[in-house]
Amino acid sequence: KDFIQAKYDFIDEMMKFGGIEAGVDAGAKVLDVGCGFGGTSRYLADKLGPKADVTGITLSPNQVKRGTELAAERGLPNAKFQVMNALEMDFPDNSFDIVWACESGEHMPDKEAYINEMMRVLKPGGKFVMATWCQRDDRVVPFDKKDKRDLRFLYEEWTHPYFISIEAYAELMDATKMMGPA
């Protein structure tokens, strides 16, 4: 399979994981946090249909411009893009039925603000799906020199501020009291 199909398959798996279905969520208001140039936003807009409203946010005006161009080329007026800081969103509380975050968490310098903002804009009972790079939980078995060296390489090579564990993300989400038990 080619790279693009593999990406679409990954989005489909994330949709299944998050309980997102075209028939059920056809009119959903969706937020794609850290959308880049909007590949996932466009795919979701197409998959969920014309009644869905998909908004992608990124810090880059160039990504917004390109995402908007590509959405227009593909006839997807329900995919829109905005320059916005994911750590200080302009949206009102409870704005979105679905909050989607794919490979954006690793770029966030404040993981707590990242989670808090996504939970703030998610409607009660809404669907939240996130895939992000994590490190293992080092509270029981601390990182050794090799672990620290490997993490430092990833931070420097990919310019990520830092990673946290799945457990730490779960604790941040639990602290918001917005999500039910896992």
Side-chain angles (χ1 to χ4, degrees):
K1 117 178 34 171
D2 68 16
F3 179 74
I4 292 172
Q5 188 57 52
K7 287 214 165 252
Y8 293 154
D9 291 349
F10 181 67
I11 297 167
D12 288 337
E13 288 302 312
M14 282 184 67
M15 288 177 71
K16 284 184 212 168
F17 180 77
I20 300 168
E21 301 174 41
V24 175
D25 297 302
K29 192 170 178 188
V30 181
L31 175 64
D32 183 3
V33 180
C35 67
F37 66 90
T40 298
S41 300
R42 291 188 308 277
Y43 186 81
L44 290 170
D46 184 50
K47 193 90 166 175
L48 296 177
K51 291 183 182 175
D53 179 21
V54 180
T55 301
I57 63 169
T58 175
L59 289 173
S60 168
N62 290 331
Q63 289 178 337
V64 166
K65 181 179 183 285
R66 186 62 181 140
T68 301
E69 291 168 353
L70 290 169
E73 286 173 17
R74 288 171 175 82
L76 295 168
N78 59 329
K80 298 172 186 71
F81 303 94
Q82 297 181 24
V83 173
M84 191 177 297
N85 182 351
L87 304 180
E88 296 175 2
M89 293 187 221
D90 298 333
F91 304 115
D93 295 356
N94 310 318
S95 294
F96 295 93
D97 302 298
I98 299 169
V99 172
W100 180 281
C102 183
E103 295 187 336
S104 57
E106 59 270 19
H107 300 284
M108 300 297 162
D110 184 339
K111 309 301 191 218
E112 184 175 13
Y114 172 63
I115 294 297
N116 287 345
E117 277 296 279
M118 289 189 292
M119 294 299 103
R120 182 184 68 74
V121 300
L122 181 65
K123 291 179 182 177
K127 298 175 182 180
F128 173 69
V129 185
M130 181 173 80
T132 188
W133 295 21
C134 293
Q135 68 181 37
R136 69 172 169 79
D137 190 344
D138 66 333
R139 292 176 285 195
V140 176
V141 178
F143 293 133
D144 62 22
K145 285 183 182 180
K146 182 184 179 311
D147 296 329
K148 290 177 183 176
R149 183 200 70 211
D150 292 346
L151 281 170
R152 189 172 48 257
F153 172 80
L154 290 171
Y155 299 153
E156 292 169 0
E157 183 72 15
W158 295 96
T159 64
H160 295 305
Y162 65 101
F163 303 136
I164 63 175
S165 66
I166 292 170
E167 294 84 358
Y169 271 116
E171 290 164 7
L172 291 173
M173 284 184 251
D174 289 345
T176 69
K177 305 212 184 308
M178 291 293 296
M179 302 298 294

